[in-house]
Amino acid sequence: MNITVLLKQVPDTTAKITISGGKVDENSVSKWSMSPYDEYALESGLQLKEKTGGNLVAITCGPERTKKMLTDAAAVGADTLVHISNDGVTDSTHVQKLLAAAVRRFDSQIVLCGKQAADTNSGSTGPGVAELIDAACVTLVTEVNYSEGKFSTIRPSNSGTEKVAVDGLSVFAFDKGTHELRRPNVRGIMMAKKKQVESITSGDLGVVLDSSNVTLNSQNPPPEKPAGQKFEGAEHVNEVVSKLRNEANVI
Amino acid sequence: MAYEALDFYDVDSLLTEEERMVRDMVRDWVDEEVIPNIEIACREGVFPDEWRVALGEMGVLGAPLKGYDCPGLSYTAYGVICRELERGDSGLRSFASVQGSLAMYPIWDFGSEEQKNHYLPKMASGEWIGCFGLTEPDYGSNPGDMITKAEDMGDHYLLNGAKMWITNGSIAELAVVWAKLDGVIRGFIVEKNDPGFSAPEMKGKHSLKASVTSELVFQDCKIPKDRMLPGVKGLRGPFSCLNNARYGISWGALGSAQACFDSAKDYAMSRIQFDHPIASYQLVQNKLSWMLREITKGQLLAYHLGQKKDSGDWIPEHISLAKMNNVDIALEIARVARDIHGANGILDEYPIMRHMANLESVKTYEGTHDIHNLIIGRHITGIQAFTREA
């Protein structure tokens, strides 16, 4: 069984972000990492592969630098590495089209991805790709299991968790999973070094990137936190209680 | 904030992709598992067993050794591993140095095929910890005059003597012990349950507190004949091990220095005195600039030495220079960093005082600073100055 995992490289969640000309300055990002929810998708894919056998295909769409993330995925066990050039890509519908075409090409029964990327947080990849490949889609899952041709998955519900079973081609978008993420090791790194990244373009996939109807106008850093306030003495009790109740909304 | 390693000349761009991946693996582990737990380990005076397991799982123990389930990485990668581990703590790097360079290496280079097959795979996986017994209470810089001796009793060897300052001693499954057999230094593998062998822990250290340091005591310690390392005689044996460990230290010390620089820079940027961050004052900038200068020089030294180790074109004096210089500057950087941190520098909220205290040991072990100067002095002049006798 081919298991496909869709991965995105994002600025590390601890990296400093700078805005230049109304856009995030990618050149100033000190560390790029695999998006955290994608890591859970990958981990789950690796565990499925260990149980069912098969080939784990890791696909990303992005600039050259994203190939490094695929090699990182290989170091923990990804078998086939596919890099789709993001030349001409202007919005997430383009990314979905390219990923969907790549998924079809590798004939996977199951596609795993993060519920949202840590940079854009739009959460559109899983449902978007599912729509294009005509697959079932379950979002916010924490676990995926396979038995007798069916996938079953755990996701949160209003009253706890629910178990959802799906037949056939399925896309699962991962929340923070229940499995501990594995670390690479030297042996994995040495194997990964030997694995080739297959580079393909929109042309290779036969995808036409038509004009986009989404424009990103500007990006802004979050507002700075206001300075803390300090109160001393019993005479401030009423004021503090009022602030906690009405401003901080904590009591 | 993510740790951004100071790399002013972008020396790490010279690493291979594999070496960079190994670096990132160890760096992430140190960030996630070591730094949050190191102060507790120091206060309790223990080397956390989870770290042994993790080092084995990552597959970094005995990094440059090939075959027998050893990692088979480059010496440069081994250096990078030491640097990343020592950014966490010198005690952690000491564990890895002793396991890889001082215990696994002599078995790998001088052991019999049976010894290699028996010990190395379990040592590479971290299942068995090794230690290295050379230094004695009265023989540190002068190991050639060691007292510990081995006697051939026909069907076994009998060891008598004592070793001191032995990293990993009390937690080790086996010790590579250097002792005189008929006046010639030979290597012996002693296992922890051998009769007549004990390894009491040395307590009360103000340095390398998260590392186990022990004495090794041999009182009519009886070991089978097949435990002697067949491949080496004389001081060449222990010195070959020390060359590799010292090489690792020359990288490791930079990890400590980088941790101190990182903390000092952050502190100076955020500490306000006289209405401005202290980083805006010339005296502080001078200190930070000096740190960057020395770290950058040390990085070039370590990298170039790594390339020489990998090509085989090196002499022990090259290693002496790098060990001596990089530990020396790391210790001085730790002291200056403590100064920049003011009183806060003595708290365990910051890594400074711990690195400083650790580096006092690192300056002394594996060839003291002064001994390395004498090694280089002999290289320059052809005149040995270790002893009065010619």
Side-chain angles (χ1 to χ4, degrees):
Chain A
M1 173 164 78
N2 269 350
I3 301 165
T4 292
V5 181
L6 306 177
L7 302 172
K8 184 177 183 187
Q9 192 187 44
V10 299
D12 192 85
T13 49
T14 59
K16 196 175 168 215
I17 305 292
T18 47
I19 308 279
S20 156
K23 287 260 170 71
V24 169
D25 179 8
E26 294 202 351
N27 292 323
S28 73
V29 173
S30 58
K31 188 178 179 189
W32 292 91
S33 299
M34 188 183 297
S35 185
Y37 297 118
D38 296 357
E39 289 186 298
Y40 286 102
L42 175 61
E43 177 59 40
S44 187
L46 292 168
Q47 295 198 7
L48 270 180
K49 187 187 101 169
E50 280 159 9
K51 284 184 201 132
T52 64
N55 184 44
L56 193 141
V57 187
I59 305 178
T60 193
C61 173
E64 277 295 303
R65 64 169 156 75
T66 61
K67 288 181 179 174
K68 159 81 172 68
M69 177 190 58
L70 294 175
T71 312
D72 289 341
V76 289
D79 302 294
T80 305
L81 312 177
V82 182
H83 169 254
I84 310 168
S85 160
N86 68 340
D87 277 353
V89 168
T90 51
D91 71 44
S92 51
T93 60
H94 286 164
V95 176
Q96 289 154 25
K97 278 183 188 167
L98 292 168
L99 292 174
V103 168
R104 273 199 215 100
R105 185 169 156 144
F106 285 94
D107 195 24
S108 299
Q109 284 120 295
I110 173 168
V111 179
L112 308 169
C113 62
K115 66 168 181 171
Q116 64 198 88
D119 53 355
T120 54
N121 286 314
S122 64
S124 58
T125 298
V129 169
E131 182 69 22
L132 291 171
I133 62 173
D134 202 17
C137 182
V138 187
T139 58
L140 306 177
V141 304
T142 54
E143 199 179 316
V144 173
N145 295 298
Y146 178 79
S147 86
E148 293 168 14
K150 274 192 180 183
F151 296 106
S152 68
T153 175
I154 306 288
R155 68 192 303 279
S157 73
N158 284 338
S159 53
T161 57
E162 60 191 17
K163 192 171 175 182
V164 181
V166 193
D167 272 328
L169 182 59
S170 314
V171 176
F172 298 102
F174 266 77
D175 202 337
K176 186 175 175 179
T178 48
H179 302 299
E180 198 174 327
L181 301 175
R182 68 192 67 194
R183 291 182 185 284
N185 58 31
V186 166
R187 200 159 290 164
I189 288 171
M190 286 177 146
M191 301 275 284
K193 190 183 61 174
K194 294 182 192 134
K195 277 187 190 143
Q196 291 290 318
V197 176
E198 188 181 336
S199 282
I200 48 180
T201 62
S202 54
D204 298 332
L205 290 167
V207 172
V208 179
L209 299 174
D210 42 16
S211 63
S212 171
N213 47 18
V214 179
T215 334
L216 182 64
N217 290 331
S218 76
Q219 292 170 312
N220 296 296
E224 284 197 23
K225 276 191 192 162
Q229 298 175 46
K230 202 169 166 184
F231 302 94
E232 277 180 39
E235 67 271 25
H236 295 290
V237 168
N238 285 341
E239 191 188 348
V240 172
V241 169
S242 146
K243 278 179 183 288
L244 289 174
R245 184 166 287 147
N246 302 322
E247 290 179 23
N249 299 320
V250 291
I251 56 173
Chain B
M1 289 294 282
Y3 167 65
E4 284 179 38
L6 172 66
D7 189 5
F8 191 56
Y9 275 12
D10 212 5
V11 182
D12 273 12
S13 67
L14 300 171
L15 301 175
T16 64
E17 190 182 352
E18 178 180 293
E19 287 160 353
R20 274 196 296 272
M21 287 175 78
V22 170
R23 174 197 69 188
D24 292 345
M25 169 185 77
V26 179
R27 183 177 287 178
D28 289 347
W29 176 72
V30 166
D31 271 330
E32 289 161 26
E33 304 295 335
V34 177
I35 291 176
N37 298 309
I38 181 63
E39 296 298 346
I40 296 167
C42 281
R43 280 185 202 169
E44 293 175 356
V46 295
F47 179 80
D49 195 50
E50 308 85 83
W51 296 357
R52 169 188 67 83
V53 174
L55 291 168
E57 283 175 355
M58 285 190 285
V60 297
L61 296 170
L65 307 181
K66 293 179 174 59
Y68 309 98
D69 292 349
C70 296
L73 291 167
S74 64
Y75 270 95
T76 303
Y78 172 52
V80 170
I81 291 165
C82 288
R83 183 185 71 191
E84 296 306 322
L85 293 178
E86 196 149 359
R87 178 174 70 90
D89 191 73
S90 304
L92 170 62
R93 199 268 308 134
S94 297
F95 176 93
S97 290
V98 169
Q99 178 78 353
S101 288
L102 299 185
M104 292 172 71
Y105 173 79
I107 296 172
W108 181 83
D109 202 6
F110 311 125
S112 67
E113 218 34 51
E114 292 73 27
Q115 289 168 340
K116 293 180 200 188
N117 285 317
H118 182 63
Y119 293 106
L120 291 176
K122 286 198 164 67
M123 294 177 81
S125 71
E127 190 179 335
W128 286 351
I129 300 174
C131 67
F132 174 86
L134 176 68
T135 297
E136 299 186 355
D138 295 321
Y139 295 93
S141 295
N142 175 23
D145 284 347
M146 68 172 65
I147 295 170
T148 303
K149 63 170 185 176
E151 283 174 272
D152 188 340
M153 307 303 283
D155 62 344
H156 64 275
Y157 292 111
L158 210 56
L159 290 181
N160 275 290
K163 301 289 180 181
M164 205 174 181
W165 306 112
I166 309 305
T167 300
N168 297 351
S170 311
I171 55 173
E173 200 72 29
L174 64 133
V176 174
V177 176
W178 302 93
K180 282 183 178 165
L181 177 69
D182 299 326
V184 179
I185 294 174
R186 302 295 304 250
F188 297 89
I189 300 168
V190 178
E191 296 187 359
K192 70 173 180 188
N193 293 324
D194 285 337
F197 172 55
S198 60
E201 190 172 350
M202 297 170 68
K203 295 285 191 183
K205 286 178 295 167
H206 278 300
S207 174
L208 298 178
K209 293 174 84 160
S211 166
V212 173
T213 310
S214 315
E215 291 176 66
L216 305 182
V217 182
F218 311 96
Q219 283 179 313
D220 288 334
C221 171
K222 193 176 161 182
I223 59 166
K225 292 290 281 249
D226 61 4
R227 298 271 200 78
M228 187 165 74
L229 298 176
V232 74
K233 286 180 187 172
L235 276 175
R236 186 175 76 82
F239 281 179
S240 318
C241 306
L242 291 171
N243 278 330
N244 284 331
R246 290 165 177 174
Y247 161 73
I249 293 171
S250 72
W251 282 84
L254 294 171
S256 287
Q258 285 173 287
C260 291
F261 173 83
D262 204 44
S263 185
K265 183 193 73 179
D266 285 351
Y267 186 84
M269 297 292 283
S270 60
R271 172 71 175 173
I272 310 288
Q273 286 294 285
F274 303 105
D275 301 328
H276 299 286
I278 60 171
S280 67
Y281 299 127
Q282 292 181 359
L283 284 172
V284 174
Q285 288 197 3
N286 185 44
K287 287 170 185 153
L288 292 171
S289 156
W290 173 80
M291 289 179 180
L292 177 143
R293 184 180 99 194
E294 292 304 328
I295 289 171
T296 303
K297 288 193 285 188
Q299 286 169 334
L300 292 167
L301 211 57
Y303 176 77
H304 190 66
L305 182 62
Q307 295 301 294
K308 290 181 89 63
K309 281 287 283 171
D310 280 324
S311 69
D313 171 30
W314 60 277
I315 54 174
E317 287 81 354
H318 292 153
I319 294 175
S320 285
L321 180 74
K323 190 270 180 185
M324 174 179 72
N325 180 77
N326 287 3
V327 177
D328 196 33
I329 60 119
L331 177 56
E332 205 48 41
I333 284 166
R335 290 171 178 160
V336 174
R338 210 289 307 149
D339 184 46
I340 291 174
H341 283 74
N344 280 305
I346 71 165
L347 295 176
D348 68 7
E349 191 180 328
Y350 299 93
I352 307 303
M353 200 76 176
R354 179 169 49 78
H355 280 299
M356 189 203 296
N358 284 341
L359 287 163
E360 292 286 356
S361 294
V362 180
K363 187 176 179 182
T364 290
Y365 73 22
E366 305 267 355
T368 68
H369 183 81
D370 287 348
I371 286 289
H372 286 299
N373 266 318
L374 296 185
I375 290 171
I376 292 166
R378 180 182 59 188
H379 179 74
I380 298 167
T381 64
I383 307 165
Q384 73 80 22
F386 302 105
T387 171
R388 300 277 165 84
E389 285 78 46

